[in-house]
Amino acid sequence: MFLFNVRLLLTFRLEKNTAHVFVLLIYKNLLTCPIASLFPIGTLVQTGGFNDGERNIRMFTPCWDETCDWNEFPGYLSQRRWYATNQILPDGRVIVVGGRRQFNYEFYPKNQNNNSPIHLSFLQETSDPNDENNLYPFLHLLPDGNLFIFANTRSVLFDYNQNRVIKEFPPIPGNDPRNYPSSGSSILLPLDENKDYIEAEIMVCGGAPRASFEGALQGNYMQALSSCGRLKVTDQNPTWVMEEMPLARVMGDMILLPNDEVVIINGVSLGTAGWEHGRGPVLTPVLFRPYVNIGSQWRFTIMSPASKPRLYHSSAVLLRDGRVLVGGSNPHIFYNFTGVVYPTDLSLEAFSPPYLSPIVDQVRPNIQYMSSDILGYRVFSYITFTVTRYTSASEVSVRIIAPSFTTHSFGMNQRMVVLKLVGVTQMNGDTYYATIVGPSTAQIAPSGYYMLFVVHAGIPSSGLWVQVL
Ligand SMILES: *[C@@H]1O[C@H](CO)[C@@H](O)[C@H](O)[C@H]1NC(C)=O
């Protein structure tokens, strides 16, 4: 705990707007496999974990002096939640789904009258007897308020209010599992409020073949998966569209970037997640560009390599300045800094996507002013920004991105909403004025803190923290 406090103090000497991102990463290094959500007021709520922490809730509310500390609520959860996933809901609660040998879900805060876990047979059906493959299920809150839940190869549209599977989607082609220990990753692609009907599309990339975990136990590290699948879950009869990444990867993190691109970063090309089970670190991130035609060599591009392998227990998060911070790597039960194949690594490193290149500085927007740092639902706001070489209003968009809690290759609560843009007008010289409308519902953007970016000609500004309320 001493080490933790020292590092926390360092954190708070950083710029206000990056502070809690660092808190998430530092906290991750200290607990084994916890999960968390950022509450609407900015409190980090962490649920469950391993051993004597498996039913605990811990909370941390940042402060600007050195007085704040964690609050722990032992035994709050009705079940042990080790390798469970959570998601912030439109009403401000957090749903906690699954965990090892838990085929059920519960809520935080709990309902005082009825706190029993609610059975979800989908989790039981997707659990393989030996290696599970349904841990850290992928959860995404959809615009209609239902949850998308993906486990193993299967996925459902789930109404958590009525405990009802509304529909099951087709399994992802290939019969290869995507959840722990076959840890692929999953994202909800940006939701666009400028469309009459808001579509939701899920993208799942990488993972490990079904026999990989058993193979790794015997020292046979199988090639990871290189496929990605996209599923437009708002379609009547959605089907998976499969594509190949240029590299195979398990334990890759998928991070949404402000300009619609997605970076797939960290992980290995052989073996699986779990202690000592990964080999062949993939140092090069891959950038996915959804706006480039399928099959083009520019759709997935390989970026320059990181300096360090990032294996099991590594993490990634988008920073306000547009970089992606990666950190950690510990594939051992203990912290072993020597004498092992991939030593425990507590360092942080940042990936700078191509949009940060000075070559595009001329078209980069710089936010000058926003009418309020509170973005009300359906409320008009305005932002002024400068740009040296302006193109046209059709090249401008304003987006909000929720900070994710990324662990075991999945960014919980990660989402981006492209806000309704009413118009852009020139104020004077290189200064422009954009009118936007706050999110239309809490299903589309649950209340809480988001980073707001102005994007012009594919190049994002630095982000501004706003509170959706
Ligand atoms: C890893 O660290 C633990 C605890 O310090 C130690 O017991 C173990 O021998 C180490 N493993 C290796 C391979 O050095």
Side-chain angles (χ1 to χ4, degrees):
M1 204 59 196
F2 173 73
L3 176 67
F4 173 71
N5 279 328
V6 169
R7 297 173 73 184
L8 194 63
L9 294 185
L10 287 174
T11 300
F12 280 91
R13 289 206 198 98
L14 294 170
E15 182 200 3
K16 169 186 164 191
N17 287 325
T18 56
H20 84 262
V21 170
F22 279 75
V23 171
L24 299 188
L25 279 166
I26 288 165
Y27 193 31
K28 267 180 51 56
N29 280 335
L30 289 167
L31 297 165
T32 307
C33 316
I35 56 172
S37 294
L38 266 176
F39 243 35
I41 53 164
T43 298
L44 177 67
V45 180
Q46 186 277 316
T47 54
F50 182 58
N51 230 16
D52 53 356
E54 64 193 15
R55 289 183 50 217
N56 295 2
I57 297 252
R58 305 168 187 93
M59 290 202 254
F60 182 82
T61 304
C63 56
W64 306 127
D65 53 25
E66 291 164 8
T67 58
C68 40
D69 202 352
W70 295 91
N71 278 325
E72 188 163 36
F73 303 90
Y76 187 98
L77 296 164
S78 74
Q79 303 297 310
R80 55 197 297 266
R81 299 290 174 192
W82 189 33
Y83 287 51
T85 304
N86 65 28
Q87 167 71 53
I88 297 174
L89 298 174
D91 61 8
R93 288 182 302 167
V94 172
I95 188 170
V96 189
V97 178
R100 189 142 197 252
R101 302 201 182 109
Q102 294 299 334
F103 309 124
N104 54 61
Y105 59 96
E106 64 185 289
F107 298 93
Y108 174 84
K110 61 189 176 190
N111 181 337
Q112 295 304 337
N113 305 322
N114 177 14
N115 183 33
S116 22
I118 306 158
H119 182 74
L120 179 55
S121 45
F122 172 73
L123 293 174
Q124 194 152 20
E125 294 160 22
T126 49
S127 173
D128 288 345
N130 301 322
D131 57 12
E132 288 151 298
N133 282 319
N134 71 339
L135 299 183
Y136 285 117
F138 302 143
L139 254 58
H140 298 286
L141 174 67
L142 300 182
D144 65 0
N146 291 310
L147 278 183
F148 172 86
I149 309 180
F150 183 106
N152 204 324
T153 59
R154 290 170 55 188
S155 54
V156 291
L157 182 66
F158 185 64
D159 175 352
Y160 55 85
N161 283 315
Q162 316 230 2
N163 188 30
R164 190 168 68 93
V165 172
I166 297 168
K167 72 160 117 173
E168 175 153 359
F169 299 106
I172 192 164
N175 196 31
D176 292 312
R178 307 285 178 158
N179 299 84
Y180 180 90
S182 292
S183 306
S185 192
S186 171
I187 49 167
L188 170 64
L189 290 166
L191 304 173
D192 190 349
E193 294 256 27
N194 295 286
K195 296 195 170 139
D196 292 337
Y197 176 72
I198 297 183
E199 295 183 326
E201 188 168 31
I202 306 291
M203 185 175 186
V204 173
C205 288
R210 198 166 290 282
S212 193
F213 190 77
E214 288 74 8
L217 288 175
Q218 280 152 32
N220 170 27
Y221 303 98
M222 293 171 68
Q223 166 99 16
L225 305 177
S226 52
S227 61
C228 285
R230 276 178 299 114
L231 186 72
K232 203 171 271 181
V233 291
T234 41
D235 281 357
Q236 263 316 311
N237 294 301
T239 52
W240 289 93
V241 178
M242 302 302 290
E243 291 184 67
E244 286 295 309
M245 298 184 284
L247 302 168
R249 195 186 302 256
V250 58
M251 293 185 278
D253 290 292
M254 294 175 79
I255 301 291
L256 284 167
L257 302 178
N259 66 344
D260 281 340
E261 295 173 343
V262 177
V263 68
I264 307 157
I265 195 165
N266 299 337
V268 299
S269 60
L270 302 169
T272 72
W275 305 122
E276 317 294 343
H277 293 338
R279 291 291 184 277
V282 187
L283 297 179
T284 46
V286 162
L287 202 61
F288 169 65
R289 296 187 170 99
Y291 47 83
V292 169
N293 289 341
I294 295 179
S296 158
Q297 60 166 325
W298 303 111
R299 192 161 161 92
F300 288 93
T301 48
I302 301 176
M303 301 280 107
S304 54
S307 68
K308 297 194 168 193
R310 303 280 178 193
L311 293 83
Y312 194 42
H313 293 128
S314 63
S315 190
V317 69
L318 176 71
L319 298 181
R320 196 178 62 83
D321 64 12
R323 292 179 300 164
V324 174
L325 186 68
V326 298
S329 182
N330 181 32
H332 319 290
I333 294 177
F334 296 99
Y335 273 20
N336 293 82
F337 298 101
T338 54
V340 286
V341 194
Y342 299 110
T344 300
D345 193 313
L346 304 180
S347 67
L348 300 171
E349 184 171 6
F351 165 67
S352 296
Y355 56 63
L356 289 174
S357 165
I359 293 173
V360 291
D361 276 354
Q362 298 263 304
V363 293
R364 187 186 316 283
N366 295 291
I367 298 176
Q368 296 293 303
Y369 179 79
M370 180 152 167
S371 49
S372 165
D373 56 8
I374 289 177
L375 202 55
Y377 290 101
R378 294 181 180 274
V379 172
F380 285 76
S381 296
Y382 74 87
I383 302 172
T384 66
F385 61 94
T386 58
V387 58
T388 311
R389 193 174 296 159
Y390 182 72
T391 55
S392 70
S394 64
E395 293 283 340
V396 175
S397 59
V398 180
R399 292 109 185 281
I400 52 171
I401 301 183
S404 66
F405 184 90
T406 310
T407 188
H408 291 71
S409 311
F410 180 58
M412 299 178 199
N413 294 300
Q414 180 173 218
R415 69 198 294 113
M416 176 182 341
V417 178
V418 184
L419 298 174
K420 188 167 185 64
L421 180 67
V422 180
V424 185
T425 47
Q426 187 172 17
M427 282 176 75
N428 52 58
D430 60 358
T431 308
Y432 297 82
Y433 175 106
T435 308
I436 51 169
V437 186
S440 41
T441 66
Q443 281 74 25
I444 291 164
S447 181
Y449 283 97
Y450 290 73
M451 288 175 277
L452 179 143
F453 297 89
V454 174
V455 178
H456 170 248
I459 305 301
S461 65
S462 265
L464 195 69
W465 282 107
V466 296
Q467 192 179 11
V468 171
L469 207 62

Short mmCIF file of all heavy atoms in Angstrom, two decimals, residues 334-336 338-340, ligand 1:
data_model
loop_
_atom_site.label_atom_id
_atom_site.label_comp_id
_atom_site.label_asym_id
_atom_site.label_seq_id
_atom_site.Cartn_x
_atom_site.Cartn_y
_atom_site.Cartn_z
N PHE A 334 4.20 -14.73 -9.57
CA PHE A 334 4.88 -13.70 -8.79
C PHE A 334 5.38 -12.60 -9.72
O PHE A 334 5.32 -12.77 -10.94
CB PHE A 334 6.07 -14.31 -8.03
CG PHE A 334 5.63 -15.33 -7.02
CD1 PHE A 334 5.69 -16.69 -7.31
CD2 PHE A 334 5.15 -14.93 -5.78
CE1 PHE A 334 5.27 -17.62 -6.37
CE2 PHE A 334 4.74 -15.86 -4.86
CZ PHE A 334 4.80 -17.21 -5.15
N TYR A 335 5.86 -11.54 -9.13
CA TYR A 335 6.54 -10.53 -9.93
C TYR A 335 7.98 -11.00 -10.10
O TYR A 335 8.78 -10.92 -9.18
CB TYR A 335 6.51 -9.18 -9.22
CG TYR A 335 5.28 -8.35 -9.49
CD1 TYR A 335 4.10 -8.91 -9.96
CD2 TYR A 335 5.30 -6.97 -9.28
CE1 TYR A 335 2.98 -8.14 -10.22
CE2 TYR A 335 4.18 -6.19 -9.53
CZ TYR A 335 3.02 -6.78 -10.00
OH TYR A 335 1.92 -6.01 -10.24
N ASN A 336 8.31 -11.53 -11.28
CA ASN A 336 9.65 -12.03 -11.54
C ASN A 336 10.32 -11.11 -12.56
O ASN A 336 9.95 -11.12 -13.73
CB ASN A 336 9.61 -13.47 -12.08
CG ASN A 336 9.11 -14.45 -11.04
OD1 ASN A 336 7.91 -14.59 -10.82
ND2 ASN A 336 10.03 -15.12 -10.37
N THR A 338 13.62 -11.20 -13.21
CA THR A 338 14.77 -11.87 -13.83
C THR A 338 14.50 -13.37 -13.85
O THR A 338 13.62 -13.86 -13.14
CB THR A 338 16.07 -11.66 -13.02
OG1 THR A 338 15.81 -12.07 -11.66
CG2 THR A 338 16.54 -10.22 -13.05
N GLY A 339 15.24 -14.06 -14.67
CA GLY A 339 15.22 -15.52 -14.65
C GLY A 339 14.00 -16.16 -15.30
O GLY A 339 13.74 -17.34 -15.09
N VAL A 340 13.24 -15.38 -16.06
CA VAL A 340 12.05 -15.92 -16.72
C VAL A 340 12.05 -15.45 -18.19
O VAL A 340 12.75 -14.50 -18.53
CB VAL A 340 10.75 -15.47 -16.02
CG1 VAL A 340 10.55 -16.21 -14.72
CG2 VAL A 340 10.75 -13.97 -15.79
C1 LIG B 1 9.56 -15.91 -9.27
O1 LIG B 1 9.48 -15.24 -8.05
C2 LIG B 1 9.13 -16.06 -6.94
C3 LIG B 1 8.90 -15.18 -5.73
O2 LIG B 1 9.96 -14.30 -5.55
C4 LIG B 1 10.18 -17.13 -6.73
O3 LIG B 1 9.81 -17.99 -5.68
C5 LIG B 1 10.35 -17.94 -8.02
O4 LIG B 1 11.39 -18.86 -7.88
C6 LIG B 1 10.62 -17.01 -9.19
N1 LIG B 1 10.65 -17.79 -10.41
C7 LIG B 1 11.72 -17.83 -11.20
C8 LIG B 1 11.61 -18.68 -12.42
O5 LIG B 1 12.73 -17.21 -10.96
#
